[in-house]
Amino acid sequence: MLRLLIGIAAGYVLGTKAGRARYEQISRTTKAIVESPATKKAIEVGRRKLADSLDPTPKLEPMKPIDADTQLYVPRDRL
């Protein structure tokens, strides 16, 4: 999705007939958005959520064993 938006923005900037002033305005706005602390925070939160969702460690906790050969697990949020 991000690649699509970047492609659309690049196509617009390169194909615009509004002239250099419009290009400079778009360039300044893009730079302000990219360097904004809010944007950096949103990117960091997104990366953290993605890393958590791809975490290979199971999110299960052991419960009391039924017997010596059987172990039950339950999700952490249900403990």
Side-chain angles (χ1 to χ4, degrees), residues 1-74:
M1 183 67 174
L2 182 59
R3 288 182 183 176
L4 176 64
L5 292 175
I6 291 170
I8 290 171
Y12 178 76
V13 169
L14 295 174
T16 187
K17 296 184 189 225
R20 185 73 179 171
R22 181 69 176 147
Y23 170 78
E24 292 296 332
Q25 180 186 15
I26 292 169
S27 179
R28 282 192 308 270
T29 303
T30 302
K31 186 179 272 190
I33 290 171
V34 169
E35 293 175 355
S36 138
T39 303
K40 290 179 182 179
K41 178 79 172 174
I43 290 171
E44 180 61 32
V45 168
R47 285 180 178 167
R48 195 173 311 124
K49 284 185 179 183
L50 180 61
D52 289 346
S53 69
L54 297 175
D55 187 15
T57 58
K59 293 178 174 46
L60 299 175
E61 293 289 331
M63 295 178 65
K64 290 183 184 177
I66 294 176
D67 55 34
D69 298 326
T70 308
Q71 179 74 40
L72 292 179
Y73 292 90
V74 65

